[in-house]
Amino acid sequence: MSVPDSAQDFLVMECGGLSFLVNRNQFDSSLYIQNGTPEGEKTRYAFDTIDYGGKTLLLLDFFSHLQLLFNYRSTESAHLALVVSVSDLSRKVSDIIHSLKGNGEISKEYIALRVTSQSSIEHIQISSLRPLPRLLREIGLDGGILGLRFVATHQVQYFIDLDKMIARMMEGML
Amino acid sequence: MKKLSSVFGGLSGKIQMVFFIIFFFAAIILAVLVYVTLKPDMVRRYERHLTMTTDLVANLTKMHIRTTVRNHLNGLALNMYKYAEYEYSRYLRGEISESRAYHNFKRLMLDSKLGKVGETGYMAGISGSGRAAIHPRLPGRDLSKYDSVQDAIKMKNGYLEYDWKNPGDEKKRKKAGGLLYFKPWNMLIWASSYRDEFIKFIDKKDIMGIMDSVTIGESGYAVFINSSGKLVRDDENTYTASDKPIVKDREYVQSMIDQARADPGKSHVRYIPDGFKKKDKGIPHIAVYRYIPDLDWVLVSLVSETESVKAVNTVFYIVGFILIIGVIAIFIITSIVFSRIIRPVSQVKELSDAVSAGDLTKRADVQSNDEIGQMSLQFNVIIDNFSSLLKDISETSAMLQESVQELSASSQEIATTSNQQSAAVREIVSTMEDSDKLSKSIATKIGEVTRISEDTRQIVDNGFSIIKDSLSKMDEIMNANADTIQGIKLLGEKIDSIWDIVNIINGIADQTKIIAFNAELEASAAGEAGKNFQIVATEIRRLADNTVSSTNEIRSKINEIQHSSDRLIITSEEGTGKIKQGLDLSNGLRKQFDDILRSSEISVSSAEQISVSIKQQVSAFEQILLTLKQISEGIDNFVVSTSSMTNFTESLKNKSTHLNSVVSYYRTTEDEGDANE
Amino acid sequence: MNNEDIFESLQQNVDEGSRGEEERPKKIVKFLVFLMGDRRFTVYADLIREIVLDLPLFYVPFVPSYVRGFINRHGEPYTVLDLNVLFNQQLLESSTFLILSDTTNQASFLISDVAEIMKIDEENIHMITSRSERQQFVMGSITDLEGKEILILDIPEIFKRLGKDVGS
């Protein structure tokens, strides 16, 4: 293995007392959703959407997904939308996205993920990351948890993989 | 119906009997009254009827006779008048002179044949002034003084009857005269004769006819009897009395005739044993008879007595009939009425039977508003009241039984207790008796009191100072106590703060323990090389154990201290209380000491007083002893009375049981079984 | 006994003791006895690296219920297994962890408290051999000073179970 002494930009999301790290190169950009598409509101489509630069993007509620997964509650009302390029995602996911029925208006290039607005980009040393304990490594990986990072004795940051997570989410949608 | 008839035999039968008896007697009395009042009345009616009939016939006869005579005389007078008229008319026509006419007329009137009236009677012409113008015997005589002549002048036309005695006659005889006034010659044409001479002209057939038409009642009749007592019968134109033995051999008939003759003006009544007809032999008759002077007959009207009382008998029969009808009617009516009345009564009887058998569930069915209905109502009320009373009694008796049970139990308890008491008192008495001896011996020792009282004073003085000391010491103790309490409270607070430290130490102990374990694990892991470290680990372990046990000790000790301090506070506070009590006591003591001091300053005479009072005490003691003995006796009596009360309660229990059984005889609700079973 | 005799017997005891030791090299095994709830269990002491207290437990999804998550021990994550779930189907409310010495697996057990470390004669370790005695996750038992039996946990078996459950 190469010396993990390099640093990398990570999106740090803090919600419900937990923190999540997302590799910066997993998404293209982000935009602030201010009472954009409220949760649960039915649109023309069976799923949420967001307008982005004239395109209509599928908006996945990653915010709620993380809550369900990690068993915490958050009552934030303002959110962020991460714009993810479909081509960056695994084949499985892009197949699913392409197969989605819409009016053709839905962009097949990008999708959006709703996340917490308590997010920031940090430059983090790779060496400060740890994988999950051996016993949990594989199962975590399947689920989209790549590793962790201890910050202070009482706090940990979960290093997650958007691709895996999105795949999991979309399986649930179908 | 069966019940009704059984009751019939009773009440209604009696009432019916009463009704019958009343009715019967009433009917009998009525019959008797009727008989008594009606019969004479009826008889009198018949008598009156007979009398009326007799009078009527007599009058008719008289009238007939009179009329006959009158007609005859008037007829004669008329003839003469006509003749006078004829002669006058001849004069008027001028055939003859008036005197000739008058002369002719006079000659005619005096004719022995034409001027004869009857046998001795004659026609006469009387002038208007009462002079006998034409008279066979007394021509030219002035007869105006005679009443009869005056009456005749007044009358001018008519009929006249008067008494007349011719010279040479013995007595006056009744004369009759028919009058007609011939005006031209102012002359009364007078046809006169002795009345009795004309009797023979009377058509006795007519008279008999009058009599025959008389009917009296059904069987009554009238007869004529002549002066020799023979019936006058209408025997084919023979109007003579016939020999009828019926009349002849009745001696009463003769007396009847005599009586009638003696008093001819009225009818007489007599009850005769037979009627005058053959068939009436032996049948009593009522006879009313009257003398008919003109005919010298006696008119007798007869009616059988039986007929007269026939009506009465009819009444009798009617009364009898009414009686029978009445009896039947009464029977029927009373039966109906009583069945109506008796029904409720029999209902009430049923009800009372049920009640006496113990069944209180039935009630009378009241349908009428009369006295019986109200009685039934009242009966219902009574049963209701009785029923509820029984319930009450039952409850009360149950309660009573309970109470009696309790009473019995408690009275037995009392008896037991009293026995115990009695025994105890007896013990006391014996003890008292011992004490009594003791007190008596004390009394003898009273002589020492004087000495003691002197000593007492000294002692009191000492005691006084001791009291003072102890009082001041008490105050000190109080204050010290208060300080102690305060100190303890502060200690308590400190102890609380110690707990925090203890907890910290506890934590350290735990951690130390873990450190020890870890050290030991390290030692094991290090293997041989770790042997030395093992010793260290053991030491650490020991240290940890010590720490833990120390902290445990500290914990428990602090607990103890806390408990102790709590207890101490409580005790101190109690102590404070007790000290206060002690203070009060001491103060009280001081007072007493004051008293003693005063009383210690007593002289021998006071000692003697004490001696007296002690002697009094001794006697009082004896009194107490006596009283105790009395109490003992009293308790013994009480025991006796409670035992008798136990007997009483026993009998009460029996009585209440009896009451219960009496009450339970009665069934007050439907679902109670029959108490008699 | 007089003093000489006493001295003699004393010496004898010591000699016998050391002879005994030379003749028979007795094997003493250390056991760590701990409490899970109110039940006592034990493991071979050398299987335990460390005992740590009061560390925060971090949750991990996708794992079976007896995996409570992981803790941060000296900057390294250690899986936390709650044996109470396995034995009693109940979550243990505690923050005392037995860090296992197996470095590859990086695992720890959540326990109520550590009781003691016992030195047991090898002879006195009762291992389960017969089928009838088999109990899940138990490999044998020892007896404490009061004579009570303490079950020895079979840690490899536990990991085998975990391995099955996480699908590795």
Side-chain angles (χ1 to χ4, degrees), chain B residues 388-674:
Chain B
S388 68
L389 180 70
L390 276 179
K391 279 198 189 114
D392 286 346
I393 290 174
S394 181
E395 286 170 18
T396 310
S397 105
M399 275 165 47
L400 183 67
Q401 267 200 319
E402 265 186 57
S403 309
V404 165
Q405 293 278 27
E406 284 181 34
L407 188 65
S408 174
S410 58
S411 75
Q412 286 188 17
E413 273 184 44
I414 289 169
T416 319
T417 314
S418 312
N419 278 330
Q420 289 173 1
Q421 277 186 345
S422 176
V425 168
R426 261 184 241 115
E427 273 189 44
I428 292 171
V429 164
S430 73
T431 312
M432 290 290 285
E433 279 168 342
D434 293 340
S435 309
D436 186 44
K437 288 181 204 137
L438 203 63
S439 63
K440 286 200 170 93
S441 72
I442 288 172
T444 61
K445 291 204 170 80
I446 205 65
E448 296 181 23
V449 169
T450 318
R451 179 173 59 76
I452 290 164
S453 71
E454 284 173 5
D455 292 343
T456 307
R457 205 184 152 188
Q458 188 59 47
I459 294 163
V460 165
D461 271 338
N462 294 342
F464 222 51
S465 51
I466 292 167
I467 291 275
K468 275 203 207 140
D469 286 341
S470 57
L471 275 178
S472 63
K473 281 207 174 64
M474 286 272 187
D475 278 332
E476 282 173 34
I477 291 168
M478 272 275 284
N479 295 330
N481 200 40
D483 290 340
T484 312
I485 290 171
Q486 196 55 36
I488 289 165
K489 284 195 176 140
L490 282 170
L491 178 65
E493 284 163 25
K494 284 207 175 69
I495 287 166
D496 285 335
S497 58
I498 287 172
W499 271 120
D500 300 333
I501 300 164
V502 166
N503 287 334
I504 293 166
I505 295 172
N506 242 354
I508 294 168
D510 286 339
Q511 285 179 30
T512 314
K513 199 172 75 178
I514 300 296
I515 292 166
F517 282 130
N518 282 330
E520 213 167 321
L521 288 173
E522 281 292 342
S524 320
E528 269 301 316
K531 246 204 184 126
N532 290 330
F533 189 66
Q534 178 64 52
I535 298 163
V536 173
T538 315
E539 286 306 307
I540 296 172
R541 175 71 178 276
R542 207 180 304 136
L543 166 66
D545 287 339
N546 281 338
T547 314
V548 167
S549 60
S550 301
T551 49
N552 283 340
E553 271 188 54
I554 293 169
R555 230 209 309 252
S556 65
K557 283 254 157 20
I558 292 175
N559 243 341
E560 268 184 53
I561 293 168
Q562 201 163 40
H563 286 317
S564 307
S565 77
D566 287 341
R567 270 203 302 277
L568 202 58
I569 291 173
I570 292 163
T571 315
S572 303
E573 280 168 345
E574 277 175 18
T576 309
K578 286 222 161 47
I579 288 167
K580 285 215 180 85
Q581 275 180 31
L583 253 177
D584 294 336
L585 250 163
S586 305
N587 282 330
L589 261 174
R590 182 161 71 177
K591 254 183 68 262
Q592 280 183 359
F593 264 100
D594 278 336
D595 295 342
I596 294 170
L597 184 66
R598 264 181 257 119
S599 60
S600 76
E601 294 163 346
I602 51 174
S603 60
V604 173
S605 61
S606 304
E608 280 178 349
Q609 281 179 24
I610 290 168
S611 162
V612 165
S613 68
I614 285 179
K615 285 206 183 92
Q616 283 174 357
Q617 272 191 8
V618 165
S619 73
F621 211 66
E622 282 173 336
Q623 297 243 355
I624 290 167
L625 187 63
L626 209 68
T627 312
L628 274 176
K629 281 192 181 142
Q630 285 174 2
I631 289 171
S632 175
E633 280 174 29
I635 288 174
D636 287 336
N637 289 340
F638 186 57
V639 167
V640 168
S641 63
T642 48
S643 73
S644 66
M645 185 159 88
T646 310
N647 296 338
F648 167 71
T649 54
E650 270 304 312
S651 78
L652 194 64
K653 198 158 59 167
N654 292 339
K655 283 209 164 47
S656 77
T657 311
H658 175 66
L659 181 65
N660 235 10
S661 68
V662 165
V663 165
S664 64
Y665 172 78
Y666 290 96
R667 177 157 62 97
T668 53
T669 59
E670 281 303 331
D671 48 6
E672 279 180 41
D674 189 342

Side-chain angles (χ1 to χ4, degrees), chain C residues 40 142-150:
Chain C
R40 296 169 95 206
I142 55 169
T143 44
D144 66 0
L145 295 166
E146 289 161 4
K148 287 217 200 96
E149 200 188 43
I150 310 172

Side-chain angles (χ1 to χ4, degrees), chain B residues 112-355:
Chain B
S112 59
K113 277 197 182 131
L114 287 173
K116 194 174 177 177
V117 179
E119 284 182 22
T120 57
Y122 50 88
M123 302 287 295
I126 308 292
S127 72
S129 59
R131 194 176 57 84
I134 305 164
H135 201 282
R137 290 199 194 125
L138 313 161
R141 173 82 71 87
D142 182 13
L143 301 171
S144 62
K145 65 174 187 254
Y146 294 107
D147 294 328
S148 55
V149 171
Q150 279 177 18
D151 291 338
I153 291 166
K154 277 190 205 134
M155 201 186 285
K156 288 194 169 59
N157 297 311
Y159 171 77
L160 197 65
E161 283 188 1
Y162 53 94
D163 294 318
W164 182 262
K165 183 169 107 52
N166 276 334
D169 287 340
E170 280 177 14
K171 53 175 178 176
K172 279 189 182 172
R173 284 168 70 182
K174 205 159 217 129
K175 264 197 140 178
L179 301 166
L180 270 175
Y181 182 66
F182 190 75
K183 196 172 177 183
W185 289 335
N186 191 28
M187 186 186 300
L188 270 172
I189 299 166
W190 192 316
S192 73
S193 165
Y194 286 105
R195 207 162 165 271
D196 50 24
E197 282 181 12
F198 280 95
I199 298 298
K200 43 174 141 306
F201 292 123
I202 292 167
D203 188 350
K204 297 201 172 52
K205 203 177 185 175
D206 290 334
I207 293 175
M208 296 301 287
I210 293 167
M211 189 195 71
D212 283 340
S213 69
V214 165
T215 52
I216 301 162
E218 287 184 4
S219 59
Y221 48 88
V223 295
F224 284 110
I225 304 173
N226 67 7
S227 52
S228 52
K230 295 178 183 167
L231 266 177
V232 177
R233 274 173 44 109
D234 180 5
D235 264 339
E236 299 269 354
N237 303 318
T238 315
Y239 302 109
T240 54
S242 59
D243 277 322
K244 285 291 156 194
I246 293 170
V247 177
K248 204 167 179 193
D249 55 6
R250 292 182 174 84
E251 67 235 3
Y252 55 80
V253 173
Q254 191 55 52
S255 81
M256 278 165 67
I257 293 167
D258 295 335
Q259 189 188 6
R261 272 225 181 111
D263 193 0
K266 64 176 197 215
S267 298
H268 304 271
V269 180
R270 188 184 288 229
Y271 289 81
I272 53 179
D274 311 284
F276 288 167
K277 291 185 180 167
K278 217 183 232 171
K279 62 178 174 65
D280 290 340
K281 180 98 181 167
I283 298 172
H285 275 70
I286 309 173
V288 174
Y289 48 98
R290 189 168 170 162
Y291 184 61
I292 311 288
D294 291 331
L295 299 170
D296 193 27
W297 284 357
V298 174
L299 170 65
V300 183
S301 303
L302 294 150
V303 76
S304 69
E305 272 192 57
T306 40
E307 190 185 314
S308 71
V309 299
K310 206 164 149 189
V312 177
N313 290 343
T314 310
V315 167
F316 236 40
Y317 297 144
I318 288 170
V319 165
F321 185 67
I322 287 169
L323 184 71
I324 291 163
I325 297 286
V327 162
I328 294 167
I330 281 176
F331 188 83
I332 293 169
I333 290 167
T334 51
S335 304
I336 294 168
V337 168
F338 286 146
S339 73
R340 291 221 177 176
I341 294 173
I342 293 304
R343 206 186 306 121
V345 170
S346 68
Q347 211 185 50
V348 170
K349 180 184 177 287
E350 267 179 59
L351 205 57
S352 61
D353 284 341
V355 167

Side-chain angles (χ1 to χ4, degrees), chain C residues 85-100:
Chain C
V85 176
L86 283 176
F87 281 88
N88 300 326
Q89 291 79 45
Q90 254 188 327
L91 293 173
L92 195 63
E93 296 292 317
S94 176
S95 52
T96 306
F97 303 90
L98 292 179
I99 307 292
L100 301 180

